[in-house]
Amino acid sequence: REISRCKIIFWMSRADRVYRTFVPVKFFSKGWGCLETLRKIWRWQVDYSRHRDDYYRRIVLDHDVKIDESHAREDLEILNGHFVSPLAVHEPGLLPSESEKARFQVVLPKKWKSQSRSICLHLAGTGDHFFWRRRNLMAKPLAREKGIASILLENPYYGIRKPKNQLRSSLHHVSDIFVMGAALIVETGVLLNWCRQQGFQSLGVTGVSMGGHMASIASCFWPHPLAVVPCLSWSTASCVFTEGVFRDACAWPVLQEQLHVSDHSSLIKQFCSTGKVDSSNSRPQRPTQSPSFGPRVQPSAGLQTSSTAAADDGKYRHKWRVPPEALSFMQQIMDAFTHLSNFPCPHPDSSIISVVAKDDRYVPRDHVTPLPEIWPNCEVRYISGGHVTGYLFKQEKFRTAISNAFERLDLHL
């Protein structure tokens, strides 16, 4: 029985690698991105972290949200709406023009099962364009089974908001993912504030994979209690692009070449000139000087480079092709912008449940800070298998965690 169980786990985690080979996505084909964009996003992120309440009043409060249409179903009501992204208003030029208008969809149950009228914001994972996937897999079952409403936000660079010259989900620059994150932080705030204005008392955020990590970051900037349910994500995105199977999807030759371009190289090295983190890639410290970009991250003991690829156990493909310098900087820049310890903790009365796969090859957790060390009040639930099988077959576990998080949150409201 033990041998059979191990075989099942092996094949379920191997599905992560097999699925990746059939998905034609290539990340960062045009390199690191504009250094001025990185500088603006970092400065904005630091300022927002330090002055969360002020940003909430100035950017989120009273932002205009419009409902364009509504459709009544037998047991559901679906609304479509839009608003201009606050990032486009306060930091013009960072978002591509196609992404400046944020679009969302609301799924409401006809019968509520709680007086608090719970609503959960779902952020999209990698490749999750438009609304149909989240609507059918999460929002409709939550409304029908749990009486929980949902609001689905289209990511910048995705769906209707995708730049015309971008192929599918293949972001052109590393900086694009940070611009996306910055936009989602304030757009999440706008929608949560709109939900409060509509009379919803119990609010939450969730997402799967990249959507889960974006939901975690966005929750750090909301000044009120939330139900927070990140699924198939962890404490940082650095492991996704330096250790997970998505590593093979990065355009490493371009990234390495740009590190040696004179102007680019000097500015990039300045990026990591302050702050530090220990050799086990544990919790980064917030730098005290705002002009520089972020914490300097030393390569972790478990981080593979080209010199250690020969000793690799074969879990990830073509490691020898990854230039160690570009790999190291990718870890540093991803930790600087996405490590959860670089953000304020969610409101202390928030209800946080993280759902992770035991054998996740997209989001390896071996060499990064455990989430409960950053958020001590976080419960971690484990599901069998890997990232892909978790997404395909464990949606009910995600919905149960969302329902449980709202039940706990209601005790504090």
Side-chain angles (χ1 to χ4, degrees), residues 11-56:
W11 285 107
M12 291 176 79
S13 62
R14 188 176 183 182
D16 289 351
R17 300 189 291 277
V18 173
Y19 179 79
R20 164 67 194 98
T21 63
F22 288 100
V23 178
V25 60
K26 196 71 174 178
F27 291 115
F28 319 136
S29 60
K30 296 185 179 181
W32 300 103
C34 172
L35 271 297
E36 184 59 29
T37 296
L38 289 170
R39 184 181 287 110
K40 284 182 178 180
I41 290 295
W42 175 256
R43 188 179 297 119
W44 180 90
Q45 178 175 297
V46 171
D47 288 345
Y48 201 161
S49 298
R50 291 173 175 171
H51 310 288
R52 178 170 61 178
D53 291 343
D54 177 60
Y55 268 69
Y56 172 74

XYZ file of all heavy atoms in Angstrom, residues 11-56:
419
model
N 3.327 10.376 -9.601
C 2.702 10.718 -10.875
C 1.900 12.007 -10.776
O 1.831 12.774 -11.733
C 1.822 9.568 -11.355
C 2.635 8.426 -11.886
C 2.848 7.210 -11.306
C 3.398 8.419 -13.104
N 3.679 6.453 -12.064
C 4.025 7.158 -13.193
C 3.581 9.347 -14.120
C 4.840 6.810 -14.255
C 4.393 8.997 -15.198
C 5.010 7.742 -15.253
N 1.309 12.283 -9.616
C 0.551 13.517 -9.463
C 1.462 14.732 -9.498
O 1.146 15.774 -10.081
C -0.262 13.484 -8.162
C -1.403 12.475 -8.185
S -2.277 12.380 -6.617
C -3.320 13.826 -6.709
N 2.648 14.629 -8.863
C 3.588 15.754 -8.908
C 4.269 15.845 -10.269
O 4.602 16.936 -10.733
C 4.644 15.608 -7.802
O 5.404 14.447 -7.991
N 4.449 14.690 -10.936
C 5.053 14.715 -12.260
C 4.134 15.416 -13.253
O 4.602 15.975 -14.259
C 5.337 13.283 -12.735
C 6.134 13.239 -14.022
C 6.492 11.831 -14.442
N 7.314 11.847 -15.641
C 7.735 10.755 -16.252
N 7.439 9.555 -15.760
N 8.470 10.848 -17.349
N 2.832 15.417 -12.975
C 1.891 16.122 -13.842
C 2.253 17.586 -13.976
O 2.002 18.206 -15.017
C 0.467 15.969 -13.300
N 2.857 18.185 -12.931
C 3.282 19.581 -13.011
C 4.297 19.768 -14.127
O 4.204 20.710 -14.919
C 3.904 20.023 -11.682
C 2.876 20.174 -10.572
O 1.675 20.092 -10.877
O 3.292 20.369 -9.423
N 5.268 18.862 -14.216
C 6.308 18.983 -15.227
C 5.776 18.662 -16.616
O 6.116 19.322 -17.590
C 7.487 18.077 -14.869
C 8.133 18.395 -13.530
C 9.416 17.633 -13.314
N 9.204 16.206 -13.144
C 8.867 15.634 -11.990
N 8.699 16.377 -10.910
N 8.710 14.335 -11.907
N 4.924 17.631 -16.699
C 4.361 17.245 -17.999
C 3.473 18.355 -18.543
O 3.561 18.724 -19.725
C 3.557 15.936 -17.865
C 2.818 15.626 -19.165
C 4.481 14.783 -17.482
N 2.630 18.930 -17.681
C 1.733 19.997 -18.117
C 2.527 21.188 -18.623
O 2.175 21.799 -19.633
C 0.832 20.409 -16.954
C -0.129 21.533 -17.297
C -1.295 21.272 -18.006
C 0.145 22.845 -16.908
C -2.183 22.293 -18.327
C -0.728 23.875 -17.220
C -1.894 23.587 -17.929
O -2.754 24.608 -18.243
N 3.608 21.515 -17.945
C 4.425 22.660 -18.348
C 4.962 22.486 -19.766
O 5.043 23.443 -20.532
C 5.579 22.838 -17.342
C 6.711 23.714 -17.810
C 6.302 25.176 -17.978
N 7.305 25.900 -18.725
C 7.241 26.161 -20.012
N 6.205 25.743 -20.718
N 8.189 26.825 -20.627
N 5.312 21.250 -20.172
C 5.870 21.032 -21.507
C 4.846 21.273 -22.609
O 5.206 21.530 -23.759
C 6.412 19.593 -21.638
O 5.329 18.661 -21.487
C 7.484 19.321 -20.597
N 3.541 21.198 -22.261
C 2.499 21.388 -23.268
C 1.929 22.798 -23.276
O 1.057 23.111 -24.075
C 1.361 20.383 -23.038
C 1.727 18.969 -23.395
C 2.092 18.072 -22.410
C 1.733 18.542 -24.712
C 2.442 16.771 -22.721
C 2.075 17.244 -25.039
C 2.440 16.353 -24.052
N 2.383 23.645 -22.367
C 1.878 25.018 -22.294
C 2.889 25.947 -22.965
O 3.990 26.154 -22.459
C 1.653 25.451 -20.832
C 1.167 26.903 -20.786
C 0.622 24.548 -20.171
N 2.536 26.517 -24.130
C 3.495 27.332 -24.889
C 3.600 28.752 -24.364
O 3.126 29.697 -24.979
C 2.901 27.307 -26.301
C 1.424 27.197 -26.082
C 1.244 26.382 -24.818
N 4.214 28.918 -23.203
C 4.362 30.249 -22.622
C 5.847 30.526 -22.410
O 6.606 29.636 -22.008
C 3.583 30.377 -21.291
C 4.092 29.378 -20.272
C 3.637 31.787 -20.743
N 6.262 31.741 -22.742
C 7.648 32.149 -22.533
C 7.632 33.496 -21.830
O 7.075 34.471 -22.342
C 8.377 32.277 -23.873
C 9.890 32.322 -23.734
C 10.438 30.964 -23.328
C 11.964 30.943 -23.327
N 12.499 29.638 -22.893
N 8.210 33.535 -20.645
C 8.187 34.755 -19.846
C 9.417 35.627 -20.115
O 10.523 35.123 -20.304
C 8.154 34.420 -18.352
C 6.854 33.807 -17.901
C 6.817 32.503 -17.442
C 5.676 34.531 -17.929
C 5.629 31.931 -17.023
C 4.483 33.977 -17.513
C 4.455 32.670 -17.060
N 9.184 36.942 -20.108
C 10.244 37.956 -20.048
C 11.157 37.924 -21.275
O 12.375 38.071 -21.153
C 11.066 37.797 -18.766
C 10.233 37.481 -17.548
C 10.616 36.507 -16.638
C 9.038 38.159 -17.305
C 9.854 36.216 -15.518
C 8.269 37.875 -16.180
C 8.676 36.890 -15.285
N 10.560 37.767 -22.455
C 11.337 37.672 -23.688
C 12.049 38.981 -24.031
O 12.969 38.990 -24.849
C 10.435 37.260 -24.856
O 9.396 38.216 -25.054
N 11.622 40.102 -23.428
C 12.263 41.390 -23.692
C 13.087 41.875 -22.501
O 13.505 43.034 -22.462
C 11.205 42.429 -24.074
C 10.489 42.094 -25.383
C 9.521 43.196 -25.800
C 8.851 42.832 -27.125
N 7.912 43.893 -27.575
N 13.283 40.995 -21.514
C 14.220 41.311 -20.441
C 13.600 41.808 -19.157
O 12.431 41.543 -18.858
N 14.418 42.537 -18.392
C 14.035 42.975 -17.053
C 13.012 44.100 -17.074
O 12.263 44.271 -16.115
C 15.265 43.434 -16.271
C 16.296 42.382 -16.101
C 17.473 42.257 -16.796
C 16.262 41.269 -15.196
N 18.162 41.148 -16.378
C 17.443 40.514 -15.390
C 15.343 40.831 -14.241
C 17.725 39.364 -14.674
C 15.625 39.681 -13.512
C 16.804 38.962 -13.733
N 12.979 44.867 -18.148
C 12.060 45.991 -18.219
C 12.750 47.309 -17.933
O 13.935 47.363 -17.604
N 11.970 48.370 -18.032
C 12.507 49.710 -17.828
C 12.911 49.893 -16.372
O 12.126 49.637 -15.455
C 11.446 50.740 -18.227
S 11.867 52.442 -17.835
N 14.147 50.340 -16.157
C 14.633 50.515 -14.789
C 13.867 51.611 -14.057
O 13.679 51.550 -12.843
C 16.131 50.818 -14.789
C 17.077 49.616 -14.726
C 16.896 48.864 -13.426
C 16.870 48.672 -15.901
N 13.415 52.621 -14.794
C 12.631 53.682 -14.167
C 11.288 53.140 -13.680
O 10.782 53.542 -12.634
C 12.407 54.836 -15.150
C 11.678 56.029 -14.553
C 12.416 56.627 -13.357
O 13.659 56.526 -13.305
O 11.741 57.205 -12.475
N 10.712 52.188 -14.424
C 9.481 51.540 -13.977
C 9.704 50.777 -12.678
O 8.910 50.867 -11.734
C 8.966 50.572 -15.062
O 8.618 51.317 -16.231
C 7.739 49.807 -14.574
N 10.810 50.031 -12.615
C 11.125 49.302 -11.387
C 11.307 50.259 -10.223
O 10.826 50.014 -9.107
C 12.403 48.480 -11.585
C 12.298 47.266 -12.509
C 13.681 46.709 -12.795
C 11.407 46.195 -11.904
N 11.982 51.373 -10.469
C 12.228 52.346 -9.408
C 10.900 52.951 -8.905
O 10.684 53.081 -7.704
C 13.163 53.447 -9.914
C 13.552 54.447 -8.833
C 14.459 55.537 -9.375
N 15.806 55.031 -9.633
C 16.334 54.868 -10.844
N 15.625 55.158 -11.912
N 17.554 54.417 -10.987
N 10.011 53.291 -9.820
C 8.723 53.885 -9.438
C 7.875 52.898 -8.631
O 7.274 53.259 -7.622
C 7.955 54.325 -10.683
C 8.453 55.599 -11.317
C 7.581 55.978 -12.514
C 8.032 57.277 -13.143
N 7.173 57.636 -14.309
N 7.844 51.650 -9.110
C 7.028 50.650 -8.416
C 7.575 50.391 -7.020
O 6.823 50.273 -6.044
C 6.971 49.340 -9.223
C 6.139 49.542 -10.483
C 6.372 48.210 -8.391
C 4.677 49.828 -10.215
N 8.903 50.296 -6.892
C 9.479 50.058 -5.565
C 9.179 51.205 -4.614
O 8.764 51.001 -3.473
C 10.980 49.818 -5.659
C 11.597 49.687 -4.298
C 12.334 50.606 -3.621
C 11.453 48.572 -3.411
N 12.677 50.133 -2.386
C 12.152 48.884 -2.228
C 10.813 47.333 -3.522
C 12.214 48.006 -1.153
C 10.894 46.459 -2.453
C 11.579 46.795 -1.293
N 9.372 52.439 -5.097
C 9.130 53.606 -4.246
C 7.660 53.677 -3.838
O 7.336 53.952 -2.684
C 9.552 54.878 -4.982
C 9.527 56.132 -4.115
C 9.981 57.349 -4.894
N 11.371 57.210 -5.317
C 11.766 57.196 -6.594
N 10.893 57.302 -7.550
N 13.044 57.071 -6.878
N 6.783 53.394 -4.786
C 5.340 53.391 -4.500
C 4.992 52.318 -3.468
O 4.225 52.547 -2.544
C 4.585 53.157 -5.804
C 3.098 53.138 -5.667
C 2.236 54.190 -5.767
C 2.281 51.993 -5.398
N 0.946 53.774 -5.576
C 0.942 52.423 -5.346
C 2.549 50.640 -5.193
C -0.110 51.562 -5.106
C 1.504 49.777 -4.946
C 0.186 50.236 -4.903
N 5.585 51.120 -3.639
C 5.312 50.009 -2.727
C 5.766 50.324 -1.301
O 5.055 50.052 -0.326
C 6.026 48.760 -3.245
C 5.870 47.524 -2.371
C 6.508 46.316 -3.037
O 6.088 45.893 -4.110
N 7.543 45.763 -2.405
N 6.958 50.917 -1.169
C 7.473 51.268 0.149
C 6.603 52.350 0.795
O 6.235 52.262 1.968
C 8.940 51.738 0.057
C 9.405 52.318 1.385
C 9.849 50.580 -0.352
N 6.249 53.380 0.024
C 5.426 54.462 0.564
C 4.059 53.951 1.000
O 3.542 54.320 2.062
C 5.260 55.575 -0.478
C 6.534 56.372 -0.688
O 7.440 56.257 0.161
O 6.631 57.092 -1.699
N 3.452 53.109 0.189
C 2.132 52.560 0.507
C 2.210 51.707 1.771
O 1.329 51.752 2.634
C 1.606 51.746 -0.675
C 0.105 51.546 -0.705
C -0.539 51.190 -1.886
C -0.692 51.698 0.429
C -1.909 50.996 -1.940
C -2.055 51.508 0.390
C -2.656 51.153 -0.796
O -4.018 50.954 -0.838
N 3.290 50.917 1.903
C 3.455 50.075 3.086
C 3.553 50.912 4.360
O 3.012 50.551 5.404
C 4.701 49.192 2.948
O 4.601 48.321 1.857
N 4.267 52.027 4.268
C 4.495 52.852 5.455
C 3.308 53.741 5.794
O 3.144 54.154 6.944
C 5.736 53.706 5.227
C 7.028 52.909 5.191
C 8.199 53.795 4.786
N 9.466 53.053 4.868
C 10.628 53.514 4.416
N 10.672 54.711 3.841
N 11.725 52.802 4.525
N 2.487 54.059 4.793
C 1.378 54.995 5.006
C 0.090 54.377 4.487
O -0.637 54.984 3.691
C 1.667 56.321 4.304
C 3.018 56.891 4.611
N 3.327 57.449 5.837
C 4.152 56.981 3.859
C 4.587 57.862 5.829
N 5.105 57.588 4.644
N -0.215 53.172 4.954
C -1.352 52.423 4.434
C -2.669 53.174 4.612
O -3.458 53.270 3.672
C -1.432 51.054 5.129
C -2.606 50.211 4.693
C -2.511 48.795 5.216
N -2.503 48.719 6.663
C -2.464 47.571 7.346
N -2.401 46.421 6.688
N -2.465 47.560 8.660
N -2.927 53.713 5.777
C -4.202 54.395 6.021
C -4.339 55.645 5.163
O -5.424 55.945 4.648
C -4.328 54.765 7.504
C -4.489 53.533 8.386
O -4.822 52.461 7.844
O -4.261 53.644 9.606
N -3.227 56.368 4.977
C -3.272 57.574 4.158
C -3.552 57.226 2.704
O -4.373 57.879 2.044
C -1.950 58.328 4.269
C -1.921 59.557 3.387
O -2.776 60.443 3.588
O -1.056 59.637 2.488
N -2.900 56.189 2.191
C -3.149 55.755 0.816
C -4.585 55.266 0.655
O -5.215 55.488 -0.389
C -2.168 54.650 0.420
C -0.917 55.159 -0.240
C 0.038 55.876 0.475
C -0.680 54.942 -1.589
C 1.184 56.345 -0.130
C 0.473 55.410 -2.207
C 1.401 56.112 -1.466
O 2.530 56.580 -2.075
N -5.090 54.579 1.670
C -6.468 54.089 1.604
C -7.445 55.262 1.449
O -8.347 55.227 0.607
C -6.787 53.293 2.872
C -8.239 52.902 3.009
C -8.785 51.884 2.233
C -9.072 53.558 3.910
C -10.123 51.528 2.355
C -10.405 53.213 4.044
C -10.918 52.195 3.259
O -12.239 51.849 3.384
